[in-house]
Amino acid sequence: MVPEQTEVLIIGGGPAGSLLACMLARRGVDVVLAEKQATLERTFRGETLVSASVTSLRALGFGPALEAHGYLETRGIRMYLEGRHVMDLEYERTKTRARHVDMPQPALLRIINESASREPSYTYLAGATMVELDEESGTVTGAKLRLRDGSETVIRARLVVGADGRFSRVRKQAGLEAKITPMDRDVLWVKVPRPEGWSQYAEFFVDRQRHVVSMPTFPNDLRVAHNLPKRGYSAVKKAGLDAFKAGITELDPRLGPLLDQSVKSWEDTSFLEIFTAELDTWARDGLVLIGDASHTCTPILGQGINLSVQDCVRITPIIAAALKSGTKPLSASTFSGFVAERRKHKDLVTRFQTMQEEGLVVSNRRELLTRKLRYRVLGALPLRYWIIDKVLNGEVIDPIDVRDHTAAAAITGRAA
């Protein structure tokens, strides 16, 4: 049954929307989660959970379910420049002492949604698309949804949360303009079988402006990304699939036979446009944006899901407390502290990622030498772990939301 009214209506059932819905429902908040896809059986690129996210999810009580499903731990990042090994980054030397893990995003979403479904105040609407926001005198009061059967309904809510990703419809409908900054590259992803004994590192092979990254993927695959010049996808396709595979093989010859085995057509590839999106305003009266809808980042260091998890951890107690005081839609000012705090971290992530992105497209001799020196210095100093800890961050979880206190203590680097 579709409710006509709820306290919180969340648009978008990715990691941000699903986790926020679950956390709010655990607190007894009436929440409706609307996801436009009818099933979770689709391809995702973001399947890496960085150590901060893994630790947060365990602290929230999802550890046993993660273990029951299974995942692949990765040890760190290994980088090669112009054929020479210049740096390793070991995840276990970061603050949480935890490795990053890889698991299918549909499995993660099922784990979160199944936990939420045990809460009586939770409603999940699969195949529900937002048509338009419902407003009164400039305040968002709900949204019109097109349901799976084609019918339309309006759900009124004291808060609408836009968690519908990097191309957010909620953001557009709300008139919240994003500053889009294209990076100088895009990437094509492929998935190939991972040979037995393959490294547990994400391996980065960079040669001038070209690069390939291979990432161990659950259960026994490799995700491989090869860069393209911005707006260069058509030219790559015109050159042909064999040329694309040859470009990867030139940088990492081990991948050649694996590509021939698994990549038979362009349908075996997945294109990712790389850009950042930043907003001056994340909230209006009755509405707030979280996750990629409010701060799209690049793929470097797998920050998309990590930032979403931290948004949820931080905003849940704010929403829950605000709902208890009154019956009107939540004002935009409710989220001023949240936005300021999360923007500060997101800006740090963007600066870090932009610096790395710029380092991937150098071409002249001076820039190449500077890049090599930078990574050699970083590879020799513990400073890189201090930088990574700042980027990964890890929000302290409100005690009400904690289910595993040992994991929660690891977020701050303190013993339980």
Side-chain angles (χ1 to χ4, degrees), residues 240-262:
L241 191 63
D242 287 342
F244 167 68
K245 292 192 288 187
I248 295 176
T249 305
E250 286 176 12
L251 292 171
D252 186 355
R254 301 171 302 167
L255 295 173
L258 306 177
L259 294 167
D260 289 338
Q261 177 184 342
S262 300

Side-chain angles (χ1 to χ4, degrees), residues 95-359:
K95 181 173 65 177
T96 61
R97 306 296 180 191
R99 294 183 179 184
H100 293 200
V101 307
D102 187 279
M103 71 179 299
Q105 194 172 124
L108 174 65
L109 295 178
R110 279 193 202 94
I111 287 169
I112 296 171
N113 292 348
E114 285 173 8
S115 177
S117 68
R118 293 191 284 270
E119 305 299 331
S121 60
Y122 170 85
T123 301
Y124 181 63
L125 301 178
T129 303
M130 189 198 76
V131 177
E132 61 185 10
L133 294 173
D134 195 46
E135 298 189 38
E136 293 180 5
S137 304
T139 296
V140 176
T141 56
K144 179 189 287 187
L145 304 179
R146 182 175 295 113
L147 304 179
R148 195 172 183 172
D149 63 5
S151 64
E152 294 185 352
T153 187
V154 173
I155 299 179
R156 296 180 64 83
R158 293 181 61 194
L159 177 68
V160 173
V161 179
D164 53 339
R166 62 209 303 256
F167 301 107
S168 172
R169 181 174 176 82
V170 174
R171 182 176 71 204
K172 185 176 181 180
Q173 285 266 320
L176 301 178
E177 202 166 316
K179 177 188 175 184
I180 306 296
T181 305
M183 297 293 106
D184 290 328
R185 64 169 186 138
D186 295 318
V187 296
L188 269 181
W189 290 92
V190 299
K191 189 173 283 190
V192 299
R194 175 164 43 91
E196 189 174 345
W198 194 275
S199 167
Q200 283 186 286
Y201 288 83
E203 296 184 305
F204 226 119
F205 292 86
V206 184
D207 189 348
R208 294 182 174 270
Q209 293 187 322
R210 300 183 304 143
H211 59 270
V212 165
V213 57
S214 61
M215 305 173 65
T217 300
F218 180 88
N220 49 20
D221 293 320
L222 289 170
R223 274 181 293 140
V224 179
H226 187 25
N227 72 300
L228 314 176
K230 180 63 69 176
R231 293 177 293 276
Y233 184 42
S234 296
V236 169
K237 289 192 73 173
K238 186 175 181 180
L241 191 63
D242 287 342
F244 167 68
K245 292 192 288 187
I248 295 176
T249 305
E250 286 176 12
L251 292 171
D252 186 355
R254 301 171 302 167
L255 295 173
L258 306 177
L259 294 167
D260 289 338
Q261 177 184 342
S262 300
V263 183
K264 304 294 186 181
S265 74
W266 291 110
E267 291 183 358
D268 297 321
T269 69
S270 179
F271 174 74
L272 177 65
E273 182 184 3
I274 300 182
F275 61 87
T276 62
E278 298 170 280
L279 284 77
D280 291 332
T281 304
W282 295 14
R284 285 180 48 189
D285 290 344
L287 179 141
V288 67
L289 302 177
I290 64 170
D292 278 355
S294 61
H295 46 61
T296 305
C297 56
T298 84
I300 287 178
L301 265 186
Q303 286 299 290
I305 296 178
N306 187 43
L307 291 171
S308 293
V309 169
Q310 295 188 40
D311 282 357
C312 294
V313 165
R314 185 68 185 90
I315 203 171
T316 293
I318 295 172
I319 294 173
L323 289 171
K324 291 179 180 178
S325 57
T327 58
K328 295 181 179 180
L330 304 193
S331 69
S333 62
T334 302
F335 305 104
S336 297
F338 163 79
V339 172
E341 182 181 311
R342 296 301 300 132
R343 190 197 303 277
K344 182 178 179 181
H345 178 224
K346 170 56 174 60
D347 288 349
L348 185 151
V349 171
T350 298
R351 290 195 302 272
F352 172 82
Q353 290 187 327
T354 300
M355 184 175 70
Q356 304 309 310
E357 292 284 347
E358 291 171 349

Side-chain angles (χ1 to χ4, degrees), residues 19 26 54-66 111 115 118 397 401-405 407-408:
L19 183 58
R26 286 177 173 181
V54 176
T55 305
S56 293
L57 290 170
R58 285 182 174 139
L60 293 169
F62 297 109
L66 296 175
I111 287 169
S115 177
R118 293 191 284 270
I397 299 174
D401 299 311
V402 171
R403 299 292 187 274
D404 181 332
H405 291 276

